[in-house]
């Protein structure tokens, strides 16, 4: 943490993420639909793996009941 | 007939005398001279007002103008319909907090299963019964405004404590939705109707005959606006302040006194729009006696807290809020008491940003703290 090209950008992102996670739970949306991971621009392979895993996870969950909202 | 001339017809703005009382009374016009309710009305009469007029989103719908208008023109209603029309043409205000609250409202129009009652102490609420406690949006504010220490859910627990102390175990529901106040005044009548329809179903299913509110907007919406759209509700909306005030009178509750000087901010929806001015003062006097002091702008002349409907929060809002906090401090009070979660959020945000030396305390937190446990 703090090790961010945009100074405290990742700290802000983490704050935003945890707020969104709490809101999502209040609204009854599966928290598994959200994910936060730190990946540096030099870690292409890792990024691809995380994106693939998360996509699989979302596929397993299926379409959200909120598809029509917002 | 054009949409604008229809709007003029239905809100009868042609009775305008062009006196300027509205603009002279308006807290926004004082700090943002481009905004003039009188000119908006006048332009609409000549069909010169455009949906693209960005200033229509600056109105706080606080009704300071309309209660004084000699021609009885309901400017907030006029602006609401103007916004609805503007939205259909693709215009919109600037949502605060990146539209997060509007998104929450939109999600709540859907068939979701919320998990918003985790704060309720075991055994203090029921799933059916005569009384429904409409909590309002506190569970969300609790998360969103934690960093400015505002909107805390502990306040809802305190309201519940006060209700329980009156011998009532109310219904609190996970299925409650936003009352639709902001959707309606954001110019999104459709979203309001969707939210309101669900709320009516949920409340009716609980069998409640009375619905208790602590949020001024929710109360105002259910008492004044829901019947306009949905007719007879089948239950009675009650504001907790009226509820508690009646119980002070019959001696069933009492409050311990406290030291210090306090002043009270009348929220627009509770005061000017729902006519509740005396009950909060009676309760505050029960605690502070003559140490309750009034600001120059109080009661029907109270000023709006500066932002409404999570929209168009700007330096003008901040100026209105700074002036209000300074006005409160100038009374000699050490505490400004609020009775609306949004007033509290807006004032605490400004207090933190401008470092103004006055405490901002929620009326229900204060009352729950001073509630006397009677030996009965
Ligand atoms: S106060 Fe009423 S009559 Fe006077 S200018 Fe405003 S809208 Fe017209
Ligand atoms: S409702 Fe309030 S903010 Fe809007 S024009 Fe009237 S006085 Fe101004």
């Amino acid at each position: 943490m703090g090790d961010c090209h945009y100074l405290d950008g990742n700290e802000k992102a983490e704050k935003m993420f945890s707020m969104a996670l709490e809101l999502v739970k209040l609204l009854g949306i599966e928290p598994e639909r959200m994910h936060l991971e730190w990946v540096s621009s030099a870690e292409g392979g890792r990024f691809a793996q995380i994106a693939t895993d998360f996509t699989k996870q979302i596929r397993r969950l299926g379409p959200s009941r909120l598809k029509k909202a917002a | 007939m054009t949409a604008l001339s229809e709007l003029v017809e239905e809100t009868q703005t042609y009775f305008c005398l062009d006196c300027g009382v509205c603009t002279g009374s308006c807290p926004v016009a004082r700090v943002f001279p481009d905004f003039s309710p009188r000119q908006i009305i006048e332009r609409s009469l000549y069909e010169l007002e455009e949906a693209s007029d960005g200033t229509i989103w600056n109105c706080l719908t606080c009704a300071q103008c309309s209660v004084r208008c000699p021609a009885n023109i309901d400017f907030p209603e006029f602006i609401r319909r103007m916004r609805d029309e503007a939205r259909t043409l693709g215009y919109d205000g600037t949502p605060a907090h990146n539209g997060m609250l509007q998104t929450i409202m939109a999600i709540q129009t859907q068939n979701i299963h919320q998990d918003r009652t985790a704060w309720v102490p075991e055994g203090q609420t029921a799933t059916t019964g005569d009384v429904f406690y409409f909590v309002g949006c506190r569970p969300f504010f609790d998360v969103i405004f934690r960093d400015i220490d505002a909107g805390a859910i502990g306040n809802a627990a305190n309201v519940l404590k006060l209700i329980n102390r009156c011998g009532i175990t109310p219904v609190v529901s996970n299925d409650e939705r936003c009352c639709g106040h902001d959707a309606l005044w954001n110019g999104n009548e459709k979203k309001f109707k969707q939210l309101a329809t669900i709320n009516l179903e949920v409340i009716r299913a609980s069998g409640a005959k009375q619905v208790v509110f602590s949020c001024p907007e929710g109360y105002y919406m259910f008492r004044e606006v829901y019947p306009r759209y949905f007719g007879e509700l089948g239950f009675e909306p009650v504001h907790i302040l009226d509820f508690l005030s009646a119980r002070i009178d019959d001696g069933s509750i009492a409050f311990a006194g406290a030291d210090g000087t306090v002043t009270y901010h009348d929220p627009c929806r509770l005061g000017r729009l729902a006519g509740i001015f005396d009950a909060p003062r009676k309760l505050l006097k029960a605690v502070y006696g003559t140490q309750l002091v009034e600001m120059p702008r109080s009661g029907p002349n109270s000023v709006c807290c500066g932002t409404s409907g999570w929209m168009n929060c700007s330096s003008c809002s901040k100026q209105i809020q700074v002036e209000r906090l300074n006005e409160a401090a100038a009374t000699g009070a050490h505490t400004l008491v609020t009775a609306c979660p949004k007033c509290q959020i807006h004032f605490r945000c400004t207090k933190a940003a401008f470092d103004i030396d006055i405490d901002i305390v929620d009326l229900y937190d204060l009352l729950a703290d001073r509630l006397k446990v009677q030996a009965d």
Side-chain angles (χ1 to χ4, degrees):
Chain A
M1 284 302 282
D3 181 25
C4 177
H5 183 72
Y6 298 100
L7 308 175
D8 56 357
N10 55 3
E11 283 167 25
K12 286 188 183 138
E14 184 170 60
K15 236 175 109 183
M16 247 330 155
F17 180 84
S18 51
M19 183 203 281
L21 192 63
E22 275 190 77
L23 294 174
V24 152
K25 286 183 193 156
L26 283 172
L27 288 165
I29 301 169
E30 305 91 325
E32 298 79 23
R33 291 186 186 277
M34 291 181 60
H35 188 72
L36 179 69
E37 194 94 41
W38 308 119
V39 189
S40 103
S41 55
E43 299 174 308
R46 195 161 153 261
F47 179 81
Q49 190 56 49
I50 291 166
T52 310
D53 291 349
F54 188 56
T55 310
K56 274 190 203 144
Q57 183 170 321
I58 297 294
R59 283 232 169 83
R60 262 201 309 280
L61 290 167
S64 163
R65 47 200 307 154
L66 292 177
K67 263 188 102 176
K68 286 187 299 223
Chain B
M1 216 192 240
T2 65
L4 189 61
S5 60
E6 207 172 298
L7 178 58
V8 166
E9 238 2 90
E10 286 170 16
T11 53
Q12 302 193 320
T13 48
Y14 41 69
F15 285 130
C16 174
L17 309 168
D18 214 10
C19 67
V21 163
C22 48
T23 303
S25 304
C26 174
V28 177
R30 274 172 60 108
V31 295
F32 178 45
D34 285 355
F35 177 69
S36 163
R38 183 192 66 79
Q39 284 180 20
I40 290 176
I41 295 279
E42 190 178 343
R43 284 196 299 265
S44 75
L45 296 173
Y46 296 112
E47 297 230 7
L48 294 171
E49 180 63 6
E50 298 274 350
S52 59
D53 173 6
T55 71
I56 62 168
W57 307 96
N58 285 88
C59 171
L60 302 164
T61 65
C62 72
Q64 186 66 84
C65 53
S66 48
V67 297
R68 292 178 181 169
C69 171
N72 256 333
I73 289 167
D74 187 349
F75 188 77
E77 176 65 9
F78 175 84
I79 211 79
R80 179 186 78 70
R81 295 169 73 148
M82 185 89 206
R83 286 175 182 174
D84 228 287
E85 173 63 21
R87 271 182 53 86
T88 61
L89 297 170
Y91 299 99
D92 206 346
T94 310
H97 309 281
N98 303 312
M100 182 170 17
L101 291 125
Q102 279 82 1
T103 303
I104 292 173
M105 298 167 210
I107 291 175
Q108 289 186 328
T109 64
Q110 300 298 302
N111 176 24
I112 51 168
H113 301 298
Q114 297 173 94
D115 182 12
R116 49 178 286 160
T117 56
W119 58 273
V120 175
E122 186 119 14
Q124 304 300 299
T125 61
T127 46
T128 58
D130 287 345
V131 181
F132 190 110
Y133 167 32
F134 192 93
V135 175
C137 297
R138 282 257 177 196
F140 298 95
F141 297 164
D142 178 62
V143 175
I144 299 170
F145 300 104
R146 201 170 287 153
D147 61 340
I148 54 162
D149 187 26
I153 193 66
N155 168 276
N158 279 333
V159 172
L160 180 60
K161 177 177 161 190
L162 292 164
I163 298 175
N164 286 158
R165 187 62 189 77
C166 298
I168 292 165
T169 307
V171 178
V172 169
S173 174
N174 263 325
D175 294 324
E176 182 188 310
R177 302 297 206 270
C178 166
C179 68
H181 172 278
D182 296 340
L184 191 62
W185 266 273
N186 284 176
N188 197 336
E189 193 177 65
K190 184 173 160 234
K191 199 189 212 177
F192 154 70
K193 284 187 189 159
Q194 289 171 319
L195 293 165
T197 304
I198 303 176
N199 278 328
L200 289 173
E201 276 168 19
V202 170
I203 293 169
R204 285 173 183 151
S206 76
K209 298 186 184 72
Q210 281 192 326
V211 181
V212 178
F213 296 84
S214 59
C215 167
E217 290 179 346
Y219 175 66
Y220 166 67
M221 289 301 286
F222 274 80
R223 205 186 81 173
E224 304 290 334
V225 181
Y226 276 39
R228 242 183 268 159
Y229 284 87
F230 301 96
E232 185 63 44
L233 300 182
F235 54 81
E236 181 199 5
V238 187
H239 197 278
I240 178 121
L241 286 170
D242 286 335
F243 191 82
L244 294 176
S245 153
R247 276 161 182 79
I248 286 202
D249 290 346
D250 69 18
S252 53
I253 57 166
F255 297 95
D259 264 338
T261 309
V262 299
T263 189
Y264 171 70
H265 170 83
D266 293 271
C268 318
R269 322 285 141 166
L270 189 65
R272 266 193 300 281
L273 288 161
I276 299 183
F277 298 109
D278 297 339
R281 290 177 167 79
K282 179 154 90 185
L283 289 155
L284 279 170
K285 280 183 186 152
V287 176
Y288 289 97
T290 54
Q291 293 160 294
L292 169 65
V293 293
E294 295 287 355
M295 290 181 272
R297 295 178 291 178
S298 71
N301 296 322
S302 172
V303 71
C304 173
C305 69
T307 318
S308 173
W310 305 117
M311 204 173 61
N312 284 43
C313 179
S314 66
S315 55
C316 299
S317 317
K318 286 287 161 265
Q319 192 174 336
I320 293 171
Q321 290 152 6
V322 167
E323 282 174 12
R324 185 57 160 173
L325 292 183
N326 286 334
E327 182 179 352
T331 62
H334 62 88
T335 300
L336 173 65
V337 180
T338 60
C340 169
K342 289 183 181 171
C343 295
Q344 191 201 55
I345 289 163
H346 298 144
F347 287 144
R348 287 214 175 148
C349 171
T350 298
K351 177 186 153 68
F354 294 85
D355 202 17
I356 297 169
D357 187 24
I358 187 150
D359 288 340
I360 296 155
V361 174
D362 184 276
L363 178 58
Y364 305 104
D365 289 345
L366 188 155
L367 291 175
D369 185 51
R370 307 310 297 168
L371 192 60
K372 256 193 204 160
V373 184
Q374 283 163 325
D376 39 11

